[in-house]
Amino acid sequence: QVQLVESGGGLVQPGGSLRLSCTVSGVTLDYHSIGWFRQAPGKEREGVSCIDSSDGSPYYADSVKGRFTISRDDAKNTVYLKMNSLRPEDTAVYYCAADGQIITTVYAMCVGRINPTHWGQGTQVTVSS
């Protein structure tokens, strides 16, 4: 019943910025971790950035650290991913995902050790001139 809906994807020039949103709806659940994954054609899914639901502690993949920022708005049940200095290699389908298990840490979910229990449908991000 829980749904994660992404928005904000699109076409952007290299060096540009984009802001993705993920809104959680349905049954009210307190997710321990929520974040963003991406998958480019022919490549495996990778964790981009995740955030703890209780203390807000973030995790960033090395490839995006310093360029992307994850944030939450609990009142709106929404998590954001601000993407700056975008590169063509950032082109991928970006998925929002969440897990409500207390044992699922931000690190464990984002590095793929624990698969999230809920996924969004994905939003396409294309970085091109």
Side-chain angles (χ1 to χ4, degrees):
Q1 294 181 7
V2 175
Q3 291 183 308
L4 306 178
V5 180
E6 303 97 331
S7 63
L11 176 65
V12 65
Q13 297 182 117
S17 299
L18 210 58
R19 189 200 199 197
L20 306 183
S21 299
C22 172
T23 300
V24 181
S25 63
V27 179
T28 56
L29 293 173
D30 291 326
Y31 291 103
H32 185 66
S33 299
I34 188 168
W36 296 91
F37 296 75
R38 67 185 181 186
Q39 187 165 26
K43 295 185 177 181
E44 293 185 347
R45 184 190 67 205
E46 64 173 338
V48 177
S49 182
C50 303
I51 190 167
D52 186 83
S53 64
S54 60
D55 63 14
S57 299
Y59 170 87
Y60 297 98
D62 289 341
S63 60
V64 307
K65 198 168 187 177
R67 299 188 297 123
F68 292 7
T69 303
I70 191 169
S71 61
R72 294 174 8 221
D73 187 334
D74 292 340
K76 297 180 180 179
N77 295 319
T78 301
V79 62
Y80 304 95
L81 184 67
K82 185 65 169 67
M83 310 162 69
N84 298 135
S85 302
L86 284 163
R87 308 164 180 168
E89 52 263 42
D90 293 319
T91 297
V93 177
Y94 284 70
Y95 298 91
C96 182
D99 195 284
Q101 300 178 98
I102 193 67
I103 61 171
T104 303
T105 65
V106 166
Y107 174 80
M109 189 176 77
C110 250
V111 302
R113 195 172 75 192
I114 297 178
N115 292 321
T117 55
H118 295 84
W119 291 86
Q121 83 287 354
T123 184
Q124 177 70 47
V125 172
T126 303
V127 185
S128 176
S129 297

